Amino acid sequence: MTVNKTNAVLRVGRFEPTFAEELALRYDVPALPGDGERARFLDEHASDVRVVVTSGPPGVDAGIIGALPNLEAIVNYGAGVDAIDLAAAKHRGIGVSNTPDVLSDSVADTALGLILMTLRRFGAADRYVREGRWARGGRFPYGRDVSGLQVGILGLGRIGSAIATRLLGFDCAIAYHNRHPVEGCPYRYAESAAELAQSVDVLVVATTGDRGTRRLVDRTVLEALGPEGYLINIARGSVVDQEALVELLQGGALAGAGLDVFADEPYVPAELLSLDNVVLFPHIGSATARTRRAMALLAIRNLDSYLDTGELVTPVLRPRRRDRQ
């Protein structure tokens, strides 16, 4: 049965189909209109909105937060909250939730797939057969073994830890860098991203994508990884200096890259499209039916919980306590 909460909840952003379907089964929620109709909509409804439900770009910026005077919580579909202005939300005492854990395995599987495809050149090998080059007598170039490599993980959180666990099955030696060492962690800790990159064969970017990590993987880090090193990014495109990455890949200063995310999605630098040592995915890290439904249900649990109790199930920012009618 659909519950009509039109006066309390507002949709913002482009919703992934599974989330849109699951939400529509339970709630009748209006979407924030585009620029042409937004001003009139906000004049009529802004004061009614207590909760924003959001998914993906354009996100919830300070302008939207400022236009909703009674906003109390932002429910996000996805683990990353980089499209939400957390500083503006915190200043107002607005709670923010995300959907952690339920997507960790799928994203870790994607990272492992990118590592295998990039180092072993599986995608290029597939194209080699399809284009008839094998039949014409050419020998496909060697790839690089994954087993036994030194792998650095930038961001040893839930997803980074799941990636590390998978790589142990390949007898890889794991190192990591976080803002602070993880207590009791069995992996080697590097004091900086550059130090980590310099000491490994493969650098996997699994950190959050926020203002604090913007271009954390800069030219210095990429050059430290070196001409025998590979970059794998399943975090956010904003974490990597994309211009420097393209330049170094073109010039042979990096061995290759496996990328699920980009700085200006869905647009990918044209220079990358012709490079056979680069594997490109359309941001599919969590894109399985099971995982996307689990994400949708967790986001809806956060919405249900906030409307019923004023508490979020998986808060990134806890809402300021308010008197409830």
Side-chain angles (χ1 to χ4, degrees), residues 31-42:
L32 182 66
D35 292 339
E37 302 177 15
R38 180 170 296 183
R40 185 174 67 178
F41 177 89
L42 291 173

Side-chain angles (χ1 to χ4, degrees), residues 14-285:
R14 298 194 296 269
F15 276 35
E16 193 269 338
T18 298
F19 186 32
E21 292 166 8
E22 293 291 345
L23 185 66
L25 290 173
R26 298 161 176 82
Y27 292 93
D28 180 12
V29 180
L32 182 66
D35 292 339
E37 302 177 15
R38 180 170 296 183
R40 185 174 67 178
F41 177 89
L42 291 173
D43 284 343
E44 296 177 2
H45 302 291
S47 62
D48 297 324
V49 176
R50 292 174 47 217
V51 183
V52 161
V53 180
T54 187
S55 172
V60 183
D61 60 18
I64 292 175
I65 291 172
L68 301 172
N70 297 315
L71 182 63
E72 301 171 9
I74 300 169
V75 172
N76 184 60
Y77 170 83
V81 291
D82 48 302
I84 298 171
D85 192 323
L86 294 180
K90 185 176 182 179
H91 179 73
R92 283 264 306 273
I94 295 167
V96 178
S97 68
N98 66 343
T99 58
D101 295 327
V102 294
L103 52 73
S104 298
D105 284 335
S106 291
V107 177
D109 290 347
T110 300
L112 185 60
L114 276 171
I115 292 170
L116 288 167
M117 287 190 67
T118 305
L119 274 71
R120 290 297 310 276
R121 306 189 66 189
F122 288 152
D126 176 79
R127 292 189 295 274
Y128 191 79
V129 174
R130 291 176 185 274
E131 294 167 4
R133 286 182 282 166
W134 188 30
R136 292 196 293 269
R139 184 182 296 277
F140 187 75
Y142 292 149
R144 178 87 174 268
D145 284 321
V146 173
S147 297
L149 290 183
Q150 301 274 339
V151 179
I153 298 178
L154 188 59
L156 195 72
R158 296 178 180 93
I159 292 171
S161 296
I163 295 168
T165 298
R166 283 155 174 75
L167 289 168
L168 291 177
F170 288 81
D171 293 324
C172 292
I174 307 298
Y176 76 100
H177 172 71
N178 281 7
R179 290 185 177 94
H180 305 286
V182 178
E183 186 175 353
C185 179
Y187 311 128
R188 176 174 61 85
Y189 179 71
E191 294 289 341
S192 69
E195 178 185 314
L196 179 66
Q198 191 276 329
S199 67
V200 298
D201 304 297
V202 180
L203 180 65
V204 181
V205 184
T207 188
T208 57
D210 54 34
R211 293 178 182 177
T213 60
R214 180 173 176 77
R215 295 202 172 188
L216 177 61
V217 181
D218 58 13
R219 180 180 292 273
T220 299
V221 174
L222 293 170
E223 289 178 345
L225 189 55
E228 300 298 319
Y230 296 82
L231 180 78
I232 306 295
N233 189 4
I234 47 80
R236 287 291 187 269
S238 61
V239 180
V240 176
D241 183 338
Q242 187 167 272
E243 292 181 1
L245 175 63
V246 170
E247 180 183 327
L248 294 174
L249 284 167
Q250 285 183 306
L254 284 173
L259 308 173
D260 185 43
V261 290
F262 304 88
D264 186 26
E265 296 178 6
Y267 304 104
V268 177
E271 298 90 338
L272 296 179
L273 301 180
S274 62
L275 297 178
D276 258 359
N277 61 336
V278 179
V279 177
L280 308 170
F281 286 175
H283 203 152
I284 58 168

